[in-house]
Amino acid sequence: MKDQGRLLAGRYRLGAVLGQGGMGTVWRAEDETLGRTVAVKELRFSTGVDEDEKRRLITRTLREAKAIARIRSGGAVTVYDVVDEDARPWIVMELIEGPSLAEFIRENGPLTPHRAAEVGLAVLDVLRAAHGQGILHRDVKPSNVLIAASGRVVLTDFGIAQVEGDPSVTSTGMLVGAPSYISPERARGYKPGPPADMWSLGGLLYAAVEGVPPYDKGSALATLTAVMTEPVDPPKNAGPLTEVIYGLLAKDPAHRLDDARARAMLTAVLDAPEPVPAPEPVPAADETRQISLADAKEAADKATEEKAAEKAAKKERERREREQRERARAALKSARKAAAGAAAAKAASAAEAPDPSAAPAAKPKSKAAPVAAPLTDVMARRTIALAIVAVVVVLAAVGSLIAYAISGDDTGGGRKDQGKGGGKPTPAASASQSPGGAQPGNPPASPPPSPNAGEPGAGQQQTPSTASGGGTGSAGQGQGASPGGSGGGLPAGYALMTDPGFHFSMAMPEGFKQTGIAGTNSGGIYSRDDGFPRIQVDYNNRPGDDARAAWLALAPGTKSSSKNYKLIGITSTSYRNYPTVADWEFEREQNGIRVRVLNRGFKMDATHGYAIMISCAADQWDGPECTQMRTTAFETFQSLG
């Protein structure tokens, strides 16, 4: 990077980048005055951040440094210095060589209950010291715990810590932290205390022995709802830690384990001898043969089931393609009839119209049979014009249907040569959907993955350690045509945004790009400059069955964590014949302006739920730009399977 080799404050020489996220970069550096290696945390501002937001981020960074400096614990990283350069702070701190607990589990598998108890006690020591200083960490999770090469356990990242009595702490309306480790009282918008950090410790211990978080439902919304309302899945590998985990994950803070009881129980686990695994019995020769035969039969049965499933899927795809072709033929036939009728009417009209250049016709000498009146005598010319317009519309629709049928299977336009079960949608298929109506063949649509995970009050992960990841949106072709064209045409000034990471494509205004990540990497935020208007699309692979109920469950927490929140309505609605769809509309103040939000959550099938959130300045909500953006987003949205 361009700053590598830079000298800060005349003594800290920047080296390699150790990690980076949406708001900061951590460098390895050499303290040339004392001759030691340190870590330097640099605060970075994303594009479009206004001066108020910059001041808030600077205050937050300085608060983090002060909070760490006040904690006296061997499990807390040591802050050496704070350097002010480029009108922003750089924190110089102790360098911890080693992976995070999350990385360690990912590479080596879950911990034993004994080792997890060691980690839990070390984190508990830091929390005790922090709580004694009036500091809440608020983001205890595996990725914020470092395992040094010496075995030392260090709790890091006090970036969103709440410091009691600090006048710089202001309410930003943001629910920050990883949803799986946010306590129920914080999820509901209540003021947290030390028990909230104890809940997070329970989630950390669960993840340490199970390898997965205690609550992970695929999206911020579903996860926070589960945290507030559902019991935790029983741990399978916790052994003697089971009761500690249940005690820490009690939903009522009054019934949750406090520091003293948790410490006593963890110490008991640590002092108990680790069980020695029993050796696996060696099967006799005849048992080995029986096992082999059983394995062979199981493999054969599985292969038969897979083949039957593949055959059924192929048959279903062929049926859908056949229906699409039949619909296209019927539409084409109707269009031809309408066109022929209009042509006949036009020809009759032309035949009856006098030719101004021709000589006047002689009057017949004898009485002849009466001549039929021209078509214009019995049908108003305006009616003919409307009929011709209708023919043009029908032909355009036929073109769309043909493009849809050619593009592949109707669940997303996938080509047959993209593998079993079709493939991901093509722009042609996406553009040829009936705008705003049912999508032929699409699995019907669930509760939204996240109401506004990228907005304040929705569990957006704010720390650099999780600010990256997810999809990478890219703008596609098709500007300048009308929606529904066979070539994937889009309204003028719009381009196709395709984001495989979050499983969708959609037309957005030209210049829109991904400017943020929602939730725990469950969705993307798209705008021109990280401001408004903006579009957010969240994906949920395990949606529920009642979108409106999901919004109602989340609304109180969002209200309590938003500034000047005003609910407009939470209503069930219809959208493409999906089984459950709900719109959540509200207003609040954000970044110094009044913002109006429409969040549409829907379920397509058991593994595909989405939320499309449109946010505009409230005074521009009914203006042409925001109105067109809403209409186009809902008309062109396409799941990428």
Side-chain angles (χ1 to χ4, degrees), residues 201-433:
L201 175 60
L204 181 144
L205 290 174
Y206 186 105
V209 294
E210 299 299 308
V212 294
Y215 293 95
D216 185 6
K217 304 299 182 181
S219 75
L221 168 65
T223 299
L224 288 171
T225 302
V227 164
M228 291 185 286
T229 62
E230 297 180 14
V232 67
D233 291 337
K236 301 175 183 177
N237 308 314
L241 273 180
T242 301
E243 293 305 315
V244 185
I245 290 173
Y246 279 135
L248 290 170
L249 292 181
K251 294 192 185 298
D252 185 350
H255 297 155
R256 198 171 299 155
L257 290 180
D258 60 12
D259 174 86
R261 289 185 295 163
R263 185 176 301 277
M265 295 176 73
L266 287 172
T267 301
V269 173
L270 202 58
D271 291 343
E274 289 193 80
V276 179
E280 295 184 6
V282 179
D286 58 340
E287 292 176 344
T288 303
R289 181 175 178 275
Q290 291 176 6
I291 292 172
S292 299
L293 289 174
D295 290 344
K297 184 177 184 303
E298 182 181 352
D301 291 344
K302 185 176 181 181
T304 301
E305 292 174 1
E306 290 177 350
K307 187 173 182 180
E310 180 182 343
K311 185 176 180 180
K314 181 179 179 182
K315 188 174 181 180
E316 176 64 14
R317 287 197 305 274
E318 290 174 348
R319 182 189 67 78
R320 290 176 177 177
E321 291 171 1
R322 186 167 56 253
E323 289 180 356
Q324 286 295 327
R325 287 194 295 270
E326 289 172 357
R327 280 195 288 267
R329 291 193 195 100
L332 182 59
K333 185 176 180 181
S334 298
R336 286 173 174 168
K337 286 183 178 180
K346 185 176 180 180
S349 176
E352 294 299 328
D355 184 351
S357 63
K363 293 184 179 180
K365 294 182 180 179
S366 61
K367 187 176 181 181
V371 177
L375 185 63
T376 49
D377 288 349
V378 295
M379 181 185 295
R381 293 186 183 273
R382 178 175 178 274
T383 305
I384 293 178
L386 290 175
I388 294 173
V389 169
V391 172
V392 173
V393 171
V394 171
L395 289 173
V398 171
S400 297
L401 286 170
I402 293 173
Y404 186 92
I406 292 174
S407 67
D409 101 29
D410 55 1
T411 60
R415 294 175 43 151
K416 290 183 179 179
D417 62 1
Q418 289 176 311
K420 296 178 182 178
K424 294 185 177 180
T426 63
S430 180
S432 62
Q433 303 297 328

Side-chain angles (χ1 to χ4, degrees), residues 99-182:
S100 70
L101 178 58
E103 292 168 338
F104 185 91
I105 294 171
R106 200 158 46 237
E107 295 172 4
N108 303 285
L111 305 184
T112 65
H114 188 273
R115 178 54 176 152
E118 290 180 336
V119 172
L121 279 170
V123 174
L124 196 57
D125 285 341
V126 184
L127 292 179
R128 169 187 275 186
H131 295 167
Q133 294 291 324
I135 300 168
L136 299 181
H137 188 282
R138 300 201 301 170
D139 201 18
V140 177
K141 60 186 179 183
S143 59
N144 283 340
V145 173
L146 300 182
I147 309 295
S150 63
R152 177 186 170 204
V153 176
V154 179
L155 178 61
T156 66
D157 204 344
F158 281 76
I160 62 172
Q162 178 177 307
V163 183
E164 185 179 356
D166 187 340
S168 67
V169 178
T170 57
S171 174
T172 63
M174 288 189 179
L175 179 63
V176 288
S180 295
Y181 303 94
I182 289 178

Side-chain angles (χ1 to χ4, degrees), residues 457-550:
Q460 182 183 4
Q461 175 57 37
Q462 298 290 328
T463 61
S465 60
T466 60
S468 60
T472 53
S474 59
Q477 74 287 356
Q479 301 96 303
S482 60
S486 60
L490 304 173
Y494 279 73
L496 188 66
M497 174 69 70
T498 299
D499 199 330
F502 297 127
H503 310 278
F504 81 94
S505 67
M506 175 193 292
M508 298 186 185
E510 289 178 346
F512 266 45
K513 58 185 180 296
Q514 185 174 330
T515 54
I517 300 292
T520 50
N521 297 338
S522 65
I525 304 169
Y526 310 87
S527 64
R528 291 191 179 92
D529 54 5
D530 203 23
F532 299 98
R534 70 170 57 166
I535 298 175
Q536 179 175 318
V537 181
D538 292 342
Y539 168 70
N540 180 7
N541 61 6
R542 285 188 288 181
D545 297 322
D546 191 335
R548 183 173 181 272

